Amino acid sequence: MLKTFKKGGVHPAENKLSAHAPIVTAELPKVAIIPMGQHIGAPASPLVQKGDEVKVGQLIAQSSGFVSANIHASVSGKVLKIDNAMDASGFSRQAVHITVDGDEWIDIIDRSPEIVKEIKATPEEIIKKVQEAGIVGLGGATFPSHIKLSVPPGKKAEVLLINGVECEPYLTADHRLMLEKGEEVLIGTKLLMMALGVTKAYVGIENNKPDAIGHLRDIAAAYDGIDIVPLKVKYPQGGEKQLIKAVINREVPSGALPIDVGAVVHNVGTAFAVYEAVQKNKPLFERVVTVTGKSVKNPSNFLVRIGTPTSQLIEAAGGVPEDTGKIVSGGPMMGKALKSLDVPIAKGSSGVLLFQDAEAGRRPVEPCIRCGKCVSVCPMGLEPYLLMTYSDKKMWEEAEHERTMDCIECGSCMYTCPADRPLLDYIRLGKSTVGNIIRTRKQ
Amino acid sequence: MDRLLHVAPSPHIAGEYSVKKIMFGVILALLPAFATSIYYFGMGALIVTLTAIISCVAFEYLIQKFILKTTPKISDGSAILTGLLLAFNVPSNLPIGIIIIGALVSIGIGKLSFGGLGQNPFNPALVGRVFLLISFPVQMTSWPVPKGFATGYADAITGATPLALVKEGVGNGEKISEMIGIPQHMELFYGHMGGSMGEVSAIALLLGFAFMLYRKIITWHIPVFLIGTIFAFTGILNLTNPEKFADPLFHILTGGVMLGAIFMATDMVTSPMNPKGMAVFAIGIGIITVLIRIFGAYPEGISFAILIMNAFVPIINRYIKPKRFGEEVKNGK
Ligand code: SF4
Ligand code: SF4
């Protein structure tokens, strides 16, 4: 029996249309728009000014707090302006706009195609490199990675989990990365293990990627302490808590962090970025992005410089299909619908998804028939129908008591609901209000 | 691009379920039982069922349109289902007028007076049935003897249900092993007995159960716990005195236990929301059913038992919560 998490979960149509499309390097944009807030936490503060010449890999914005991350130029050229631009969240935020000129990289980056296997860095050096390189969780959570590597006093990391689950339908960026950069991903894993001081790492991969499982298994034979774990296909297995449950059968308690059960989770994309940062001196300024959709001419996986406009990638995949009704940054379950195609690719952009008009709208809301399906699919063991009612009636205390804050916003409840009730919309509202109440109470 | 894009928060895809699909799924699951009831009871079954369905849908439409002044929503199939279930809970020779009254009570009082689909605390078909049972006790308890199309409708030959026979016999001090006219287990299993239309054939109902499980319309919990409880309870009684208490197989194959457990107690609107709650609910129905059968005034009791436990569903939902993730820290530090 394949491992998986036990409680809840759904299995939407996988639609991995671009699974066989090798990673292609996307063209450089004419102007790169690099947002300052591409991670959870405080936006970075710009170090460059209008008119400055920058090179690829140059630090252009500095981490501005404990939870924050550095940002580097992804292109070479001249800073056009520092001005607000709309990002995937739909808000206009500060960004550095660079007019592209050539492709000149800073000298210290090792651009040779060789794979550097030998690890010279000490754990401290690894963490420092990860921090300097501006690496954040590339699975979409965008939490600064160096923080997860610095285990707080009193806690102890026992195992490292590498998330190669890619449980969102459509997305294939991690899949391709494991196939094409498997060795690098495992060296990155080794670096992360050293940084954490653990001797055991598991790479969890869903069973719909047998080629990636086989490939990594072959390579992993040469790496002590790294096991490849095939998992049953079930959404949201890529959720940290679900992955930990699936692979090592530990449950992270409500309000606690993975480290509280001795686990640290990083995405395969992050492991690759760590390899590049430590072994190749290359900061994080490009990533793999899947561009896909049922009507998209060539569903593709691109290696994209941060700041490239979404529209350019869609063009490269064959243009916007006639019947497009919605464009989403990320996967269909947790991604964000874009208001504009000028939105630039950021560190957390795993995919661009074009929905046909017919699939784009929501179905009309019907009364709750109390079928309990939302309850049975909730991976956190919550009662979504009830949390929605509490939000609707502004019963915040009750919502908190029923653990609304545990919701991981996976969308399984709303996906399943036969009455098409906007459960997650209401739960999000409840979470933000209850979150505020909890914060004021603590002050 | 000058196209207008949809912008809504995630999730951006929806699953295959819809209210309509679920309702028609249950209706489909009831078709084998419908077929057997026509096979056993002939024309009467057809007339009663069609009358019940048509009047339920008509009342739903008329009340929503003219009294509640809302847009009628008969297309979701829920009124058809209520009609079908109501028909399955009455004898196949019930006069049309009485069926129409039952439909009015089911839809008007059982469902719409509480605010419509999803709001009603009690199973609407059972509300209608119990109302009829109390108002028309004679017509509601004269059960046609199954003779296929020879059964007729208005002129059907009627007889008692096996449960009523046993109850009456035991009441008169007879021994079960010496009673005559009690069907064999296999006959009960196929449905060759007197009874309300849908309750007679266990095999047809189980077929429907399998279908609903396969389509993930319901889960196994309520039927299994309910039937299991009745089996265990009557089994213990039977062991204490087999001449006074009928055997457990007899109990679960008669008096609508199968119909109640598979189709009535599993009604989503009026049953608990999580498996633990469902178990409590089903065990409660099982115990009450047996108590009514053995000690109460009616030979069968599952309709009352379901309605009684329906009343407890809000309390069950309130106090019996699903197991939260992270509640039990397994191997955790
Ligand atoms: S309540 Fe939250 S965690 Fe549970 S299914 Fe819905 S979105 Fe997922
Ligand atoms: S899935 Fe939808 S209809 Fe079913 S109980 Fe939950 S909210 Fe109600």
Side-chain angles (χ1 to χ4, degrees):
Chain A
M1 261 263 288
L2 282 172
K3 288 186 171 185
T4 187
F5 61 101
K6 296 209 179 52
K7 204 184 294 298
V10 292
H11 186 185
E14 293 165 26
N15 286 319
K16 303 275 191 183
L17 311 172
S18 50
H20 298 290
I23 300 171
V24 176
T25 306
E27 270 179 46
L28 293 177
K30 295 206 169 51
V31 175
I33 303 166
I34 305 177
M36 295 293 99
Q38 299 180 41
H39 43 264
I40 287 184
S45 34
L47 296 171
V48 290
Q49 282 171 347
K50 182 176 171 175
D52 284 1
E53 298 278 346
V54 295
K55 288 183 181 175
V56 176
Q58 181 182 331
L59 184 69
I60 55 167
Q62 204 170 22
S63 155
S64 66
F66 178 65
V67 183
S68 184
N70 286 344
I71 288 168
H72 302 78
S74 56
V75 293
S76 59
K78 198 183 248 169
V79 176
L80 174 67
K81 57 180 176 177
I82 296 177
D83 195 4
N84 283 3
M86 192 197 281
D87 63 16
S89 68
F91 291 105
S92 214
R93 295 210 179 104
Q94 193 179 40
V96 174
H97 303 237
I98 303 172
T99 315
V100 179
D101 182 12
D103 189 27
E104 207 181 318
W105 293 35
I106 53 169
D107 300 332
I108 54 159
I109 301 175
D110 171 3
R111 296 183 71 182
S112 72
E114 270 144 63
I115 299 176
V116 185
K117 290 193 188 171
E118 193 197 342
I119 297 173
K120 293 200 190 106
T122 63
E124 293 71 32
E125 283 165 355
I126 295 170
I127 297 175
K128 191 150 168 275
K129 282 268 187 193
V130 168
Q131 180 167 15
E132 282 171 0
I135 298 175
V136 301
L138 294 186
T142 66
F143 189 77
S145 301
H146 65 275
I147 303 177
K148 278 197 195 169
L149 292 177
S150 328
V151 179
K155 308 251 160 89
K156 192 173 152 25
E158 293 164 34
V159 295
L160 169 68
L161 301 184
I162 298 295
N163 184 350
V165 166
E166 206 159 51
C167 60
E168 278 265 17
Y170 290 96
L171 301 186
T172 57
D174 290 349
H175 183 186
R176 292 312 306 181
L177 196 67
M178 290 188 280
L179 280 180
E180 297 176 36
K181 305 282 178 193
E183 188 88 46
E184 291 89 330
V185 166
L186 292 193
I187 299 169
T189 305
K190 204 78 209 182
L191 291 165
L192 289 166
M193 288 165 73
M194 283 178 60
L196 289 164
V198 302
T199 51
K200 194 78 226 168
Y202 299 98
V203 185
I205 307 173
E206 283 192 346
N207 206 29
N208 56 358
K209 299 179 263 294
D211 48 353
I213 295 171
H215 182 59
L216 286 194
R217 270 206 174 134
D218 292 344
I219 306 173
Y223 289 82
D224 266 357
I226 301 183
D227 278 355
I228 311 301
V229 185
L231 300 167
K232 190 178 156 189
V233 180
K234 192 156 92 168
Y235 179 87
Q237 196 141 240
E240 274 194 335
K241 292 184 172 184
Q242 278 63 41
L243 187 67
I244 295 170
K245 177 74 185 171
V247 177
I248 57 171
N249 195 26
R250 292 185 191 174
E251 279 191 19
V252 180
S254 172
L257 293 170
I259 190 70
D260 294 311
V261 295
V264 176
V265 184
H266 284 285
N267 180 265
V268 282
T270 313
F272 179 69
V274 169
Y275 161 82
E276 291 205 312
V278 180
Q279 306 292 77
K280 295 281 202 176
N281 266 322
K282 186 181 158 202
L284 177 61
F285 57 75
E286 56 184 2
R287 68 157 297 147
V288 182
V289 180
T290 301
V291 182
T292 184
K294 286 182 191 153
S295 294
V296 172
K297 209 180 278 160
N298 308 305
S300 316
N301 300 290
F302 294 114
L303 180 64
V304 188
R305 301 287 173 89
I306 303 298
T308 305
T310 302
S311 54
Q312 188 190 320
L313 289 187
I314 299 176
E315 279 315 313
V320 179
E322 225 1 81
D323 61 0
T324 301
K326 192 193 232 180
I327 300 180
V328 167
S329 163
M333 293 299 284
M334 293 184 81
K336 294 195 170 75
L338 296 178
K339 286 189 195 157
S340 147
L341 292 189
D342 303 331
V343 168
I345 294 299
K347 291 175 182 176
S349 316
S350 46
V352 176
L353 189 50
L354 290 92
F355 280 108
Q356 296 166 340
D357 216 9
E359 342 166 81
R362 285 188 175 178
R363 296 191 291 222
V365 176
E366 291 184 57
C368 171
I369 55 168
R370 311 184 61 76
C371 65
K373 291 195 191 301
C374 53
V375 180
S376 71
V377 299
C378 177
M380 299 308 293
L382 307 176
E383 296 164 288
Y385 79 96
L386 189 64
L387 298 178
M388 172 171 171
T389 309
Y390 285 156
S391 280
D392 190 25
K393 300 202 170 138
K394 302 194 171 24
M395 295 164 71
W396 310 123
E397 231 170 83
E398 288 83 353
E400 186 187 351
H401 181 73
E402 297 296 342
R403 298 219 206 179
T404 200
M405 297 308 284
D406 279 5
C407 168
I408 58 170
E409 302 186 24
C410 68
S412 300
C413 48
M414 194 159 148
Y415 168 84
T416 307
C417 177
D420 297 302
R421 300 185 64 72
L423 293 157
L424 187 49
D425 295 356
Y426 279 85
I427 295 173
R428 282 200 187 98
L429 171 76
K431 280 182 70 178
S432 76
T433 314
V434 171
N436 281 334
I437 294 173
I438 294 174
R439 272 190 293 280
T440 24
R441 192 189 305 146
K442 277 188 187 150
Q443 274 160 17
Chain B
M1 204 181 66
D2 47 4
R3 187 198 315 276
L4 217 55
L5 290 176
H6 287 265
V7 182
S10 65
H12 305 289
I13 49 176
E16 74 218 88
Y17 293 117
S18 70
V19 174
K20 201 168 168 171
K21 270 194 194 157
I22 288 180
M23 294 301 163
F24 282 98
V26 182
I27 291 170
L28 222 57
L30 280 164
L31 290 186
F34 184 40
T36 44
S37 73
I38 292 178
Y39 174 77
Y40 285 124
F41 300 118
M43 265 330 265
L46 208 59
I47 295 173
V48 171
T49 309
L50 290 182
T51 312
I53 292 177
I54 293 170
S55 39
C56 277
V57 174
F59 283 130
E60 172 119 331
Y61 182 87
L62 294 173
I63 294 175
Q64 284 182 335
K65 179 146 186 155
F66 295 107
I67 300 182
L68 302 175
K69 308 221 188 294
T70 54
T71 326
K73 294 197 66 176
I74 51 172
S75 64
D76 63 20
S78 68
I80 300 177
L81 182 57
T82 304
L84 200 53
L85 287 173
L86 176 67
F88 277 21
N89 273 290
V90 299
S92 63
N93 64 343
L94 197 66
I96 289 183
I98 297 183
I99 303 169
I100 295 177
I101 294 173
L104 179 60
V105 173
S106 289
I107 295 292
I109 297 177
K111 186 171 162 197
L112 295 178
S113 75
F114 292 104
L117 183 63
Q119 310 286 311
N120 49 301
F122 300 104
N123 186 318
L126 284 183
V127 170
R129 189 223 172 157
V130 165
F131 178 84
L132 294 183
L133 197 60
I134 294 166
S135 318
F136 307 95
V138 179
Q139 292 88 333
M140 281 293 288
T141 51
S142 55
W143 308 98
V145 177
K147 285 213 169 77
F149 276 91
T151 311
Y153 172 55
D155 54 353
I157 303 159
T158 60
T161 63
L163 264 182
L165 284 177
V166 170
K167 183 149 187 130
E168 198 188 295
V170 170
N172 296 339
E174 292 172 40
K175 288 187 176 157
I176 288 181
S177 60
E178 287 162 14
M179 289 178 197
I180 32 174
I182 309 283
Q184 296 304 305
H185 285 150
M186 271 333 264
E187 285 182 279
L188 294 176
F189 194 64
Y190 296 132
H192 196 81
M193 60 177 154
S196 70
M197 287 176 30
E199 72 184 38
V200 294
S201 173
I203 180 115
L205 294 166
L206 286 171
L207 215 60
F209 183 34
F211 175 76
M212 289 197 292
L213 285 181
Y214 169 71
R215 292 278 292 265
K216 297 211 171 84
I217 295 173
I218 58 168
T219 61
W220 56 269
H221 302 85
I222 291 179
V224 170
F225 276 110
L226 207 171
I227 295 170
T229 304
I230 295 185
F231 192 89
F233 196 178
T234 55
I236 294 168
L237 290 174
N238 178 250
L239 284 181
T240 63
N241 186 351
E243 293 299 355
K244 192 154 168 252
F245 302 108
D247 69 275
L249 214 49
F250 177 83
H251 270 286
I252 62 170
L253 290 174
T254 57
V257 166
M258 289 286 167
L259 179 67
I262 297 169
F263 288 98
M264 314 299 289
T266 54
D267 170 35
M268 295 166 176
V269 176
T270 56
S271 62
M273 300 290 259
N274 70 67
K276 272 193 278 176
M278 288 175 186
V280 171
F281 173 75
I283 292 170
I285 294 173
I287 293 174
I288 298 172
T289 303
V290 179
L291 291 179
I292 294 177
R293 283 186 177 188
I294 308 289
F295 305 107
Y298 287 92
E300 52 125 305
I302 192 159
S303 304
F304 289 104
I306 293 174
L307 288 175
I308 290 170
M309 287 309 291
N310 281 162
F312 285 100
V313 167
I315 298 176
I316 293 176
N317 281 336
R318 183 166 182 135
Y319 290 104
I320 302 180
K321 293 292 175 186
K323 196 152 124 249
R324 315 293 193 188
F325 184 97
E327 200 163 53
E328 230 169 74
V329 188
K330 261 195 211 132
N331 313 325
K333 303 280 149 95

